Amino acid sequence: MSTEIANLTAPVSLTDGAKKEIIKLIQQQELGQDYGLRLGVEGGGCAGMNYVLGFDQKKEGDQEYKIDGITVFMHKAHGLYLAGMEVDFQDGLNARGFTFSNPNASSTCGCGTSFSV
């Protein structure tokens, strides 16, 4: 597996709130340099597809991006579902956690982590 990072523009964006929370989580978990934020999709959920968000190492078929110093891994095939998506972090009284604003989703479930295209 190549360790070169392609100079690609990330198909997703992270708000300042998301970046701040991700950096905090990386520091708390003391992750090594070979770990990055994994963004993706998987089948399931009440609307048909779930978002994947977590820390992982690069895998076969992944694209690697840098978003303001944060390494992001995404499988090449997932770009079709996530292109243009914005990841935010809400820290309010009514909700706390990551949220996804995906222009490709034709519908989403009430929890906001499941969608269909």
Side-chain angles (χ1 to χ4, degrees):
M1 192 179 311
S2 173
T3 57
E4 276 185 47
I5 298 174
N7 193 10
L8 301 172
T9 301
V12 299
S13 62
L14 305 172
T15 65
D16 289 340
K19 289 184 267 190
K20 182 179 175 184
E21 185 67 16
I22 291 164
I23 291 168
K24 184 173 105 178
L25 291 170
I26 290 170
Q27 292 169 345
Q28 286 176 345
Q29 296 183 22
E30 299 178 3
L31 298 173
Q33 294 289 350
D34 56 338
Y35 279 81
L37 179 70
R38 175 162 303 281
L39 284 171
V41 296
E42 64 185 6
C46 50
M49 299 184 89
N50 282 326
Y51 294 109
V52 173
L53 179 73
F55 297 107
D56 198 359
Q57 294 175 310
K58 190 172 184 178
K59 296 179 181 175
E60 188 72 31
D62 281 347
Q63 294 280 345
E64 183 174 340
Y65 307 97
K66 289 283 189 184
I67 301 176
D68 291 334
I70 298 170
T71 301
V72 177
F73 301 132
M74 181 188 304
H75 192 278
K76 293 175 187 177
H78 296 189
L80 292 170
Y81 302 105
L82 302 179
M85 183 177 77
E86 180 184 77
V87 179
D88 192 13
F89 183 78
Q90 299 292 316
D91 193 15
L93 295 174
N94 294 330
R96 176 174 165 73
F98 288 97
T99 61
F100 307 92
S101 178
N102 187 346
N104 304 301
S106 61
S107 66
T108 59
C109 69
C111 69
T113 62
S114 181
F115 70 103
S116 62
V117 289

